[in-house]
Amino acid sequence: DAGVIQSPRHEVTEMGQEVTLRCKPISGHDYLFWYRQTMMRGLELLIYFNNNVPIDDSGMPEDRFSAKMPNASFSTLKIQPSEPRDSAVYFCASRPRSGRDNEQFFGPGTRLTVL
Amino acid sequence: GENVEQHPSTLSVQEGDSAVIKCTYSDSASNYFPWYKQELGKGPQLIIDIRSNMDKRQGQRVTVLLNKTVKHLSLQIAATQPGDSAVYFCAENGGANNLFFGTGTRLTVIP
């Protein structure tokens, strides 16, 4: 299995631009999570899906952030318009419905820099 | 399930020595406690976990202890190697499907 796949790995954009991050979870996993990692705030959960349905989006910072999961093998996190304070590493993780408890499998992350 | 304190924030040990990282949590509903290792430029990877019906679990050179009474957990890495250098995170699930992570410990193993 290829594991969780994220693209792009690095993104540099200018303030005000739209940014779209992509994630392909591990096949067969029912849960998908989006995290943001910064030095100041550590690893924060933004939103998670179960069977493509958003369950908890209380971590989404504000209306500039949106996430979708149109099917079981693809999710996007969109920031529009982007701001310098959005600079961070964004991780996607997935988890099977059954199996070893809550173990989440993380992707390699997307490093976002907003100038 | 959102208050997970972790310390120390940085830790340096000599190769071969043990490293101990500690966490405290506040949510009594938490029943699952994983530890993740994050190497530079990579996503976190699970190294060991423990459920609330256990107070100790051992893996290869790693031991996790859980004290539910005082809501403490710890990770010990024995006989450390340079490859153990990374950032380590504790986490707890607050009894739910998601995870709440500690602030991380940057471990440096000095050859």
Side-chain angles (χ1 to χ4, degrees):
Chain A
D1 196 320
V4 175
I5 299 172
Q6 291 186 247
S7 64
R9 293 295 312 276
H10 302 273
E11 176 81 27
V12 180
T13 191
E14 293 187 345
M15 181 175 62
Q17 297 297 306
E18 178 180 294
V19 175
T20 300
L21 312 182
R22 297 173 175 80
C23 176
K24 176 177 168 54
I26 294 173
S27 177
H29 282 194
D30 294 320
Y31 290 86
L32 183 141
F33 305 82
W34 281 102
Y35 290 91
R36 178 173 66 177
Q37 186 176 41
T38 61
M39 288 294 294
M40 290 296 294
R41 300 177 65 87
L43 202 56
E44 301 175 278
L45 177 69
L46 300 177
I47 185 172
Y48 80 92
F49 296 82
N50 180 18
N51 290 324
N52 314 338
V53 176
I55 302 301
D56 184 354
D57 65 354
S58 59
M60 295 287 263
E62 47 197 271
D63 292 344
R64 297 184 299 106
F65 285 68
S66 62
K68 294 181 180 180
M69 193 166 185
N71 57 63
S73 59
F74 184 65
S75 177
T76 59
L77 177 68
K78 186 175 294 188
I79 308 173
Q80 167 63 20
S82 58
E83 296 181 2
R85 60 191 169 124
D86 301 330
S87 297
V89 181
Y90 291 81
F91 289 102
C92 175
S94 69
R95 174 171 82 83
R97 175 168 52 89
S98 60
R100 191 166 67 185
D101 300 304
N102 294 59
E103 179 183 359
Q104 296 181 17
F105 297 80
F106 282 77
T110 295
R111 181 173 294 276
L112 173 64
T113 303
V114 183
L115 302 175
Chain B
E2 298 184 22
N3 189 13
V4 182
E5 297 183 0
Q6 182 172 346
H7 59 94
S9 57
T10 60
L11 178 61
S12 293
V13 299
Q14 293 287 334
E15 182 178 358
D17 288 348
S18 293
V20 178
I21 303 169
K22 298 183 179 182
C23 288
T24 59
Y25 63 98
S26 58
D27 194 336
S28 57
S30 297
N31 56 18
Y32 175 69
F33 306 89
W35 286 87
Y36 281 81
K37 174 184 180 182
Q38 186 177 21
E39 296 177 331
L40 193 61
K42 298 184 178 180
Q45 281 194 306
L46 181 76
I47 55 171
I48 192 169
D49 54 17
I50 190 168
R51 286 187 59 84
S52 57
N53 61 353
M54 304 171 69
D55 53 21
K56 182 179 181 179
R57 191 173 185 204
Q58 289 184 289
Q60 188 178 18
R61 295 194 298 110
V62 292
T63 300
V64 59
L65 301 178
L66 173 63
N67 185 329
K68 296 179 290 295
T69 302
V70 293
K71 299 186 179 64
H72 286 181
L73 64 157
S74 66
L75 175 73
Q76 180 181 41
I77 305 173
T80 53
Q81 305 167 356
D84 295 330
S85 295
V87 179
Y88 291 81
F89 294 93
C90 61
E92 50 97 357
N93 70 339
N97 289 309
N98 49 325
L99 292 175
F100 301 96
F101 287 83
T103 49
T105 297
R106 182 174 299 277
L107 173 65
T108 302
V109 179
I110 303 166

